[in-house]
């Protein structure tokens, strides 16, 4: 969810919330950002709650931000995901970054190598097609008949 419309990466996560009002730009959702009807209202509510509870920027986001997904270092996430794989809870991953497209680089460059190191993500694939990779049989139309002719 994009609220402020500004880059706050230079802020101290353990400091206060930014005082600047959000930059409200038209969002068509094409970059993965969830629509917020009125970001100024949401930010005002967050500021009020942060002040009431004495929360830092980090504490506010943890308490009031979207409560889905996984947060952590690539190594920490890989440990968690590997645990699930080894215990049969999952057999694959659909990972969507919080920020698109930048977050995709973090997944590919940081998370995938950690998963591969733990042996829970392939380093290469079994064949040339998705069907090969998933271990699926050839479709009936591509199978040979008993006399060597192509079926279908």
């Amino acid at each position: 969810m994009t609220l402020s419309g500004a880059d706050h990466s230079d802020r101290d996560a353990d400091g206060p919330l930014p005082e600047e009002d959000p930059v409200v730009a038209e969002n068509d959702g094409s970059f993965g950002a969830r629509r917020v009807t009125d970001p100024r209202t949401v930010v005002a509510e967050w500021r009020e709650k942060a002040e009431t509870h004495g929360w830092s920027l980090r504490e506010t986001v943890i308490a009031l931000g979207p409560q889905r997904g996984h947060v952590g270092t690539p190594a920490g996430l890989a440990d968690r995901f590997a645990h699930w794989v080894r215990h049969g809870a999952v057999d694959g991953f659909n990972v969507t970054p919080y920020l698109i497209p930048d977050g995709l680089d973090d997944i590919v460059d940081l998370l995938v190598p950690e998963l591969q190191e733990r042996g829970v993500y392939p380093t290469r694939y079994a064949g040339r097609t998705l069907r090969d990779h998933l271990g699926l049989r050839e479709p009936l139309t591509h199978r040979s008949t008993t006399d060597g002719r192509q079926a279908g």
Side-chain angles (χ1 to χ4, degrees):
M1 171 169 51
T2 302
L3 285 176
S4 72
D7 179 9
H8 294 298
S9 61
D10 62 335
R11 301 294 172 126
D12 177 6
D14 296 312
L17 271 66
E19 294 182 16
E20 300 85 9
D21 283 330
V23 176
V24 181
E26 182 61 32
N27 175 12
D28 64 4
S30 63
F31 289 102
R34 194 169 88 192
R35 289 182 186 252
V36 174
T37 306
D38 184 4
R40 289 184 185 101
T41 301
V42 174
V43 168
E45 290 170 4
W46 282 33
R47 283 185 184 134
E48 182 181 330
K49 289 182 181 184
E51 187 175 325
T52 299
H53 296 283
W55 291 336
S56 67
L57 174 58
R58 179 191 322 265
E59 292 166 327
T60 303
V61 171
I62 290 170
L64 303 176
Q67 299 299 315
R68 61 176 174 76
H70 306 280
V71 177
T73 65
L77 292 173
D79 286 341
R80 186 179 316 152
F81 293 170
H83 174 81
W84 293 338
V85 169
R86 291 184 183 118
H87 288 86
V90 299
D91 62 2
F93 305 99
N94 289 321
V95 181
T96 304
Y98 180 69
L99 297 174
I100 297 176
D102 298 341
L104 293 170
D105 292 336
D106 291 340
I107 290 171
V108 171
D109 297 338
L110 303 173
L111 180 59
V112 168
E114 293 283 344
L115 293 168
Q116 289 173 329
E117 186 177 296
R118 288 157 180 76
V120 297
Y121 195 92
T123 56
R124 62 183 183 168
Y125 291 101
R128 296 179 304 118
T129 66
L130 178 59
R131 181 178 304 282
D132 293 335
H133 303 330
L134 298 176
L136 301 174
R137 65 173 171 74
E138 286 292 320
L140 294 175
T141 57
H142 292 126
R143 292 186 184 175
S144 296
T145 61
T146 56
D147 64 2
R149 292 180 296 127
Q150 195 71 14

